[in-house]
Amino acid sequence: MDVAGKVAIVTGGGGGIGAAIAHALVDAGARVVVTDLDESGARDVAGSFGDAATALGGDASSDDHIDAAVRLAESTFGPVDLYFANAGVGLGGGVDTDEAVWDLAVDVNLRAHIRATRRLIPDWVERRTGYFVSTASAAGLLTQIGNAPYSVTKHAAVGFAEWLNITHFDDGVRVSCLCPMGVDTKLLRPDGDSASEEQRLMQRAVESAGAVLTPGAVAAIVLEAVADERFLILPHPEVLDMYRQKGADYDRWLRGMRRYQTSLR
């Protein structure tokens, strides 16, 4: 897909990967609705793009917000061509994680994707065009030491993206799934000293596994993958080798991950 002239929605666009994707899209000639729970952050990002972008604050997992974002895109720019389901949360730890944290992770990391496609797929199938990009994580292919809700919901996001690709490819709908390891965002490196021990363990695991990329570097790779209509987007190519090793000998991989976790404590 050539994104020039296309209309896109980017959730979680007030910073990090989302802001970088919005920037790359505008640079490539797209028009963008930037949404974020942090409305001021979304407006700051969109405001830097002039007439090529607009902003909306709200919860990316809310049906009402998704509908409002689509209607804003349609009334400002035209029908939505691309949807980047980029908003995500990384709270949580082990089996003692509170139910409310699990609910939040499931809503934002998974149900937001389901609800967005429920709103968009009928129109895309009718038009025989449309592109959905799921921001999952290498954790969705491997695992995430220190954070059960993140690992589980990112696995689910990958599974849903696979299902969408299989089910609607012949309808003209394209789907990609972004699975990076470390990216220099607040999700990996939160401000202040408020991180729990589980969050610090998660950070150590990610930072020691490979290079921590800038959001801009990830966004450039995302747009290249969209242009190629490539499903799996791996800013860290070594993730594919890790995934192959996991599938080749699951028990050996689990033993290795247990040793790796012990080394981080």
Side-chain angles (χ1 to χ4, degrees):
M1 176 177 280
D2 180 2
V3 303
K6 300 296 193 297
V7 177
I9 295 173
V10 181
T11 71
I17 295 173
I21 289 174
H23 195 288
L25 286 166
V26 171
D27 280 351
R31 293 160 294 173
V32 182
V33 174
V34 180
T35 85
D36 202 288
L37 191 61
D38 175 8
E39 183 173 0
S40 64
R43 294 196 181 280
D44 286 345
V45 171
S48 67
F49 304 139
D51 294 338
T54 189
L56 182 69
D59 177 1
S61 68
S62 160
D63 279 315
D64 288 343
H65 174 74
I66 293 165
D67 188 60
V70 172
R71 286 188 282 106
L72 177 61
E74 291 173 341
S75 63
T76 307
F77 302 123
V80 176
D81 300 297
L82 303 103
Y83 192 96
F84 292 80
N86 173 75
V89 294
L91 299 176
V95 294
D96 58 345
T97 298
D98 189 83
E99 286 292 322
V101 175
W102 274 101
D103 288 343
L104 179 64
V106 171
D107 266 353
V108 178
N109 295 346
L110 175 62
R111 288 198 182 108
H113 301 198
I114 297 168
R115 290 165 180 159
T117 53
R118 182 185 297 143
R119 174 65 172 80
L120 291 164
I121 286 290
D123 178 60
W124 284 352
V125 169
E126 183 177 344
R127 293 164 53 203
R128 299 199 62 78
T129 186
Y131 210 124
F132 184 82
V133 180
S134 164
T135 297
S137 168
L141 298 173
L142 304 169
T143 191
Q144 182 56 65
I145 289 172
N147 196 318
Y150 188 81
S151 180
V152 170
T153 54
K154 292 302 186 178
H155 271 74
V158 172
F160 183 63
E162 290 172 346
W163 182 90
L164 277 177
N165 185 287
I166 293 165
T167 304
H168 291 293
F169 187 93
D170 289 342
D171 297 322
V173 177
R174 299 295 178 258
V175 180
S176 292
C177 188
L178 171 61
C179 294
M181 287 199 295
V183 184
D184 190 8
T185 68
K186 290 183 179 180
L187 186 64
L188 176 63
R189 295 168 171 167
D191 294 332
D193 300 319
S194 60
S196 66
E197 178 53 35
E198 290 88 354
Q199 287 172 313
R200 287 192 288 270
L201 177 61
M202 175 180 173
Q203 182 178 341
R204 290 195 296 273
V206 172
E207 290 180 337
S208 62
V212 175
L213 302 180
T214 66
V218 173
I221 292 167
V222 169
L223 257 65
E224 289 174 3
V226 168
D228 294 338
E229 298 185 352
R230 188 166 69 247
F231 175 75
L232 196 57
I233 309 175
L234 297 177
H236 298 82
E238 62 268 33
V239 169
L240 185 57
D241 290 332
M242 297 175 187
Y243 189 51
R244 286 169 173 160
Q245 290 165 6
K246 175 182 177 180
D249 191 335
Y250 228 115
D251 289 307
R252 180 182 180 185
W253 179 80
L254 288 168
R255 288 194 299 271
M257 290 302 294
R258 291 195 295 268
R259 288 194 300 269
Y260 182 45
Q261 178 176 252
T262 299
S263 75
L264 295 167
R265 292 192 181 276

